[in-house]
Structures are given as structure tokens and as C-alpha cells.
Amino acid sequence: ASQTGPTTTAIAQRASELRQLLQQASYAYYVLDQPVMEDAVYDRLYRELQDLEQQHPSLITPDSPTQRVGEQPATGFESVQHRIPLYSLENAFDAEELRSWDQRWRKLAPDVPADAGYVCELKIDGAAIALSYENGLLVRGATRGDGTRGEEITANLRTIKSIPLRLQTDQPPEWLEVRGEAFLSLTRFKQLNTEREKHGEALFANPRNAAAGTLRQLDPRIVAERQLDFFAYSIQGPNDWANLDQAASLDCLQSLGFRVEPHRQTCPTLAEVEQYFSDWDARRRDLPYLTDGVVVKLQSRRLQDELGFTQKFPRWAIALKYPADEAPTQLQHVTVQV
Ligand code: NMN
């Protein structure tokens, strides 16, 4: 028999190679912001993979870059229970309240030295979500909801290009939960509102409302067009993965393929935390996304475990908030900041 063309194995190998190349390029493009491939090359490889998958549907894998956007709109969202509840954070509105938080936890752990260390992270103004990975594969994503139960919005979250469909590790744990903030960049927010204005549609009040509303869209194709982004900030999993100190856990998320807000800083003392907060109050409007404060966490995981939680909040973290802007974006030039 004169069989021509590549064998099934060769085709499967090529599909796998294409997925890997595209995944690497997409990671460099969306997460690292450092493209490693020309768009035209990326688009050609993408089409080649699409064609292969179309001819051989059995080759499609759930982490294929072609599988980010589902075709079918949902009819509604299911309520799902979070594996571990998502607590909210206690707020502090000035340095005074920050110090009072510090004194409160120190009473419970009197032997901790003054320079035991804090990690400051910019608090992004978006929507909190939880992502579940099983053996490295994204299997579920949900909104925060009331912290105990949220809405299952996996198809929508899969459209976010900076969320890995597969964790970048050769030895993924059986399960891993990653939390973070889905948000819209300011550029994208403004573009969307310009488009909406042109079409006579109601404008989004702010990027947070736009992100939250987008996540509850029934049609993942609309979600994909909105181009949400994601910063990871917390990791839950089996011991080796959960027992990391705060700064190491953020580095771990980054090495797993997530975007982690790059301006985080380890601050040995509370004075440095206060400095970070005031430095960023001046600089935050230069960022391409909105931040409404600084999340301060204790660096030591052991201390976090020792302090635990109140009914509502972790004792080892606080959100230090900037005063809210008084007017919507369009009117900012007439807003008097006091
Ligand atoms: O929907 P995706 O596959 O993410 O592509 C959207 C656009 O972004 C395309 O025009 C593509 O060329 C571009 N892109 C480029 C790279 C690259 O490495 N140059 C990677 C991912 C997406």
C-alpha cells in the first residue's frame, strides 16, 4: 500500500509541539510582556494547530490555546462551594489604624521581634476569584461570592490569557487553589467605554464594575473580547505548597506561570510599610491599572498559622486603603482631593 502524508503519530507530535510553542509565546506576551515571537508567526502557528485539530478532533486537549473561548453561551451559573473559604480583609484607612492592627496581633504573639517582616502588595481594584487546578490542569474557576460559595465561571475565566490553563511545573500537586484579582486595565476600560458611548450603551462606572459585570456575562465570547487580566496573590494546596512564607508564595505563583503584581515589597518594619503606602499614594496614578490600597501581610507563614483568623478576617493581614476618588473618571479634573 502506498500511504502518503504524515503518520498519525507525526501529526500528534506536531500538534503537541505547536501547543508548546504557542503556550510559550503566549506566556511571554501576556504574562511577561516580552514577546518572543512575531505576531505573524504566532498567527500562522495558531492556524496550523487549529487546522490540525479540526481534521483530528481527538488531538484537542483541554489546555490547547485554541480552547480558551467556548462556543456555547451558558444559561446561568452554578453555585459552588469553595474548598477553603475566601476571607475578606480588615480595612485600615490611615497609619493610626495600621498601628492599632499591629499592636493587636503583637499582643497575641509577644515574642515576635519588631523587624519580623511584612510583605506589601498593591491592592488591585477588580473582582476576587478562585481557580482550582487538578494535577496541573485548570478545572474550575469561581467568583468569591460570599466567601463560602461563589458562582462557577470557569468558561469565562479560561478566556483570560494571563491565566495558565496548565501550571508550569513538571510535578504539579493533586490539587492547588490560586486566588487573585481579575481586572480591566485602564486602557481597556477607556476603550470599552468609548465603544459603548458610540453605540449608545450605558457606560461602565469604573474598571471594577466593568470587570465584575464581565465575569457574569453568559457568553464567554463577549468576555474574551473585553480582555480581562489577572494578578495572582494567594496559593492554597498540600503542605509543601501552602507552607511558604508570603514573599516565597508570590514567587511560587510567578514560577507557576501567573502574573503577580510586580511592585510588591518585603518591609522589615512597620515604618517601612508606612513609607511604601505613602510612596505609592503618589505613584499609583501612573500605573496602567487601578489600585485602591496596599495589602499588608506578615511575611512568616508560621506566624500566620499561629495567629489564625477571627470570624471574618485573617489576623495576620490588613488592607490599607487610599481615600476613594470622589468623582467618576470623566470628572477627575474637577475633583478636589483633600
Ligand atoms: O487570541 P490570542 O491567541 O491570544 O491572540 C490575539 C492576538 O495577540 C493575535 O493577533 C496574536 O498575534 C497576538 N499574540 C501574539 C503573540 C506573540 O508571541 N507575538 C502571542 C500571543 C498573542
Side-chain angles (χ1 to χ4, degrees), residues 22 25-26 28-30 35-40 42-43 46 65 161:
L22 289 165
S26 181
Y29 188 86
Y30 290 110
V36 291
M37 199 179 266
E38 294 291 333
D39 281 0
Y42 177 92
D43 294 342
Y46 191 96
K161 306 287 171 55

Side-chain angles (χ1 to χ4, degrees), residues 12 16 34 36 54 71 92 111 114 120 148 153 185 206-207 210 215 229 235 245 265 282 285 291 293 303 316 331:
S16 154
Q34 287 169 339
V36 291
Q54 206 168 11
E71 296 297 318
D111 299 333
C120 289
T148 307
I153 51 163
S185 72
N206 54 50
L215 289 175
D229 208 332
I235 184 166
D245 284 341
Q265 188 178 308
R285 287 187 182 79
T291 158
L303 188 52
W316 42 267
L331 297 177

Side-chain angles (χ1 to χ4, degrees), residues 136-149:
L137 207 60
L138 176 65
V139 292
R140 198 182 81 183
T143 60
R144 178 179 184 282
D146 64 5
T148 307
R149 300 189 73 88

Side-chain angles (χ1 to χ4, degrees), residues 45 110 151 189 204 219 224 230 298 309:
L45 296 176
E151 285 180 309
F189 169 72
F204 292 123
D219 189 344
F230 178 73
L298 298 183
F309 296 80

Side-chain angles (χ1 to χ4, degrees), residues 234-250:
S234 147
I235 184 166
Q236 320 278 330
N239 276 348
D240 291 357
W241 298 83
N243 284 345
L244 300 165
D245 284 341
Q246 188 56 26
S249 75
L250 294 172

